[in-house]
Amino acid sequence: MGKLWLATPEGLVLFVPSAALQNRRWYYFWGKRYLKDNQVLQVVAGKNEAWIRTKAGISLIAFEPYTLEKKSDLFLSRIRKRYGYVSGWDLLRPGDPSSFRLRTDDNDGLWTSMYVAAECFRYQATHSPQAFQNARASLTALLRLVSITGIPGFPARSLIHRGDYLPAGGEWHWTSDGQWKWQGDTSSDELVGHFLAYWLAYNLLPDNGDRAGIRSAVSSIASGLIEHNWQLIGYGGKVTTWGRYDPAYMKILVPRERALNSLEILSHIRVAYAITGDKKFLDAYNTLVDKMGYAKNVQAIGDRTDPVNINYSDHELAFLSFYPLLEAETDPQLRRQYQAAEASLWHRARSEKNPLWNFIY
């Protein structure tokens, strides 16, 4: 059987009755991503394409096979244009991809870290030279976020070069040479990304030079957290808005939030010890576990007493923190506690069918 194209005043509908999968039978095309205008006047269909006439002009909808690698290459070219960072683009003219403008994002560090992690996994699985180069380039970009601030142990959210587009908002500071501007008020989300990327790059990439840079960054960030009473201290000696792991802050959080913050700091400090071998990090970690009760706090991470309240961002931060923590932790009892907490979170989140969460679980 063929395809049925339906022209409507509000977009284009395609029905493929022969598709084997239910979710491949119906397609809906609306908006400037697909059409010149939503009022479809005529469809001229071919085997794997259709020309669409609307009030504003003509569009082509075509189905072309893509491998995952080919699809990925479209995005990798963008990363190389932003100094190795995963960030966003703006379209200055709606519907016109040629009008794109690169921009920064509050979570450049986190998104870039997830990309580094992905390329580390790809390199380990395939030994692809391109995966190795991609991972190293964006790892270097991550490490630069730590060094560019001039504040020991404090990574920037993002950075731009003089003359780059600077979006409104955010806390920005010039470097001493006046050539770069970096974004402060870094959040705990960014630290989650950094430590995940550092852990995977340290263990999966073969270059000892990379490992030296990672050890320095990890030691610097973790030392800063310990020295400042479990707080992330940024520009002007001020604690950042979302950079607190201290006991006083934990007391004002609901159990689920307290569990996440406890998980994050435990993961960071345990990773710091595993990478550096510095006993001060093990001592600090044991203090969090034994004296401050942070490991016990983690047990509430999958709290299901409020089933309506699902925070997808928190799920992301939790799973990305569990992964390095469970690889680094060697104490059998603590591992069982963390695994039980992770399992409870996964059972809460499993309906999302997120492949990464399933893989980590």
Side-chain angles (χ1 to χ4, degrees), residues 11-29:
L12 177 72
V13 178
L14 169 62
F15 177 52
V16 187
S18 60
L21 298 176
Q22 186 71 30
N23 63 355
R24 292 292 185 268
R25 294 180 181 176
W26 290 97
Y27 297 82
Y28 181 50
F29 304 95

Side-chain angles (χ1 to χ4, degrees), residues 116 120 123-124 127 132 135-136 139-140 143 197-220 271-272 274-277:
V116 171
C120 286
Y123 172 74
Q124 184 64 206
H127 295 290
F132 178 51
R136 290 196 73 204
L139 173 63
T140 299
L143 293 171
Y198 295 152
W199 175 253
L200 290 172
Y202 192 87
N203 287 289
L204 301 183
L205 298 184
D207 194 283
N208 284 325
D210 293 333
R211 292 191 180 96
I214 290 170
R215 277 195 299 271
S216 176
V218 163
S219 178
S220 176
V271 164
I275 287 178
T276 68

Side-chain angles (χ1 to χ4, degrees), residues 91-109:
L91 290 184
L92 302 182
R93 295 184 296 277
D96 181 4
S98 69
S99 70
F100 78 90
R101 175 178 63 193
L102 292 166
R103 62 171 171 82
T104 65
D105 186 276
D106 283 354
N107 281 319
D108 278 358

Side-chain angles (χ1 to χ4, degrees), residues 11-140:
L12 177 72
V13 178
L14 169 62
F15 177 52
V16 187
S18 60
L21 298 176
Q22 186 71 30
N23 63 355
R24 292 292 185 268
R25 294 180 181 176
W26 290 97
Y27 297 82
Y28 181 50
F29 304 95
W30 189 96
K32 291 185 180 295
R33 178 176 180 181
Y34 300 105
L35 306 171
K36 293 289 186 180
D37 180 78
N38 289 324
Q39 186 171 350
V40 180
L41 302 177
Q42 184 182 7
V43 180
V44 178
K47 183 178 180 180
N48 289 308
E49 64 183 31
W51 291 93
I52 317 301
R53 184 168 68 88
T54 70
K55 290 184 65 176
I58 295 175
S59 302
L60 172 64
I61 303 293
F63 288 82
E64 179 183 343
Y66 265 67
T67 63
L68 289 176
E69 186 173 25
K70 184 178 178 181
K71 186 175 181 180
S72 172
D73 285 343
L74 293 173
F75 296 92
L76 298 187
S77 64
R78 302 179 186 182
I79 294 171
R80 288 189 285 271
K81 293 177 181 178
R82 264 283 294 140
Y83 314 117
Y85 298 107
V86 176
S87 193
W89 291 24
D90 293 325
L91 290 184
L92 302 182
R93 295 184 296 277
D96 181 4
S98 69
S99 70
F100 78 90
R101 175 178 63 193
L102 292 166
R103 62 171 171 82
T104 65
D105 186 276
D106 283 354
N107 281 319
D108 278 358
L110 176 57
W111 308 149
T112 303
S113 296
M114 295 178 75
Y115 169 64
V116 171
E119 291 291 54
C120 286
F121 284 133
R122 183 159 78 105
Y123 172 74
Q124 184 64 206
T126 67
H127 295 290
S128 160
Q130 188 61 57
F132 178 51
Q133 293 174 18
N134 293 343
R136 290 196 73 204
S138 286
L139 173 63
T140 299

Side-chain angles (χ1 to χ4, degrees), residues 50 58-59 82 132 135 142 147 173 188 203 243 273 277 284 314 337 354:
I58 295 175
S59 302
R82 264 283 294 140
F132 178 51
L142 271 186
S147 63
H173 309 281
S188 57
N203 287 289
Y273 173 63
D314 285 356
Q337 289 182 31
N354 185 305

Side-chain angles (χ1 to χ4, degrees), residues 260-274:
L260 177 61
N261 280 42
S262 297
L263 168 63
E264 290 177 9
I265 192 64
L266 286 166
S267 182
H268 303 341
I269 303 303
R270 189 61 183 82
V271 164
Y273 173 63

Side-chain angles (χ1 to χ4, degrees), residues 81-344:
K81 293 177 181 178
R82 264 283 294 140
Y83 314 117
Y85 298 107
V86 176
S87 193
W89 291 24
D90 293 325
L91 290 184
L92 302 182
R93 295 184 296 277
D96 181 4
S98 69
S99 70
F100 78 90
R101 175 178 63 193
L102 292 166
R103 62 171 171 82
T104 65
D105 186 276
D106 283 354
N107 281 319
D108 278 358
L110 176 57
W111 308 149
T112 303
S113 296
M114 295 178 75
Y115 169 64
V116 171
E119 291 291 54
C120 286
F121 284 133
R122 183 159 78 105
Y123 172 74
Q124 184 64 206
T126 67
H127 295 290
S128 160
Q130 188 61 57
F132 178 51
Q133 293 174 18
N134 293 343
R136 290 196 73 204
S138 286
L139 173 63
T140 299
L142 271 186
L143 293 171
R144 191 170 190 200
L145 291 178
V146 181
S147 63
I148 199 169
T149 66
I151 303 172
F154 183 72
R157 283 182 176 272
S158 185
L159 59 81
I160 61 171
H161 192 265
R162 176 178 287 278
D164 288 347
Y165 169 68
L166 176 64
E171 175 196 305
W172 290 89
H173 309 281
W174 285 107
T175 54
S176 58
D177 62 5
Q179 295 302 305
W180 295 88
K181 213 170 192 180
W182 57 270
Q183 186 177 4
D185 200 27
T186 304
S187 72
S188 57
D189 299 23
E190 301 301 287
L191 296 192
V192 168
H194 276 265
F195 276 87
L196 172 73
Y198 295 152
W199 175 253
L200 290 172
Y202 192 87
N203 287 289
L204 301 183
L205 298 184
D207 194 283
N208 284 325
D210 293 333
R211 292 191 180 96
I214 290 170
R215 277 195 299 271
S216 176
V218 163
S219 178
S220 176
I221 297 172
S223 295
L225 292 170
I226 295 170
E227 292 164 7
H228 295 108
N229 189 34
W230 310 111
Q231 296 178 336
L232 182 61
I233 302 299
Y235 188 81
K238 297 180 180 178
V239 61
T240 64
T241 304
W242 302 106
R244 294 185 61 182
Y245 304 98
D246 55 285
Y249 182 65
M250 293 292 189
K251 289 180 180 179
I252 66 174
L253 299 177
V254 299
R256 188 179 63 255
E257 294 171 342
R258 187 182 307 126
L260 177 61
N261 280 42
S262 297
L263 168 63
E264 290 177 9
I265 192 64
L266 286 166
S267 182
H268 303 341
I269 303 303
R270 189 61 183 82
V271 164
Y273 173 63
I275 287 178
T276 68
D278 190 330
K279 188 175 180 297
K280 76 175 181 182
F281 296 127
L282 180 61
D283 293 339
Y285 177 76
N286 288 334
T287 297
L288 291 171
V289 171
D290 299 328
K291 296 182 179 179
M292 296 164 64
Y294 279 27
K296 185 177 181 180
N297 292 344
V298 175
Q299 296 175 17
I301 196 78
D303 181 15
R304 305 183 74 177
T305 58
D306 184 9
V308 177
N309 188 350
I310 296 178
N311 187 312
Y312 298 107
S313 175
D314 285 356
H315 286 178
E316 176 182 273
L317 297 175
F319 279 108
L320 298 185
S321 297
F322 268 125
Y323 188 92
L325 176 61
L326 281 167
E327 285 205 335
E329 183 56 70
T330 56
D331 180 89
Q333 183 176 349
L334 280 175
R335 277 185 56 81
R336 284 193 295 270
Q337 289 182 31
Y338 296 148
Q339 286 174 321
E342 184 195 29
S344 70

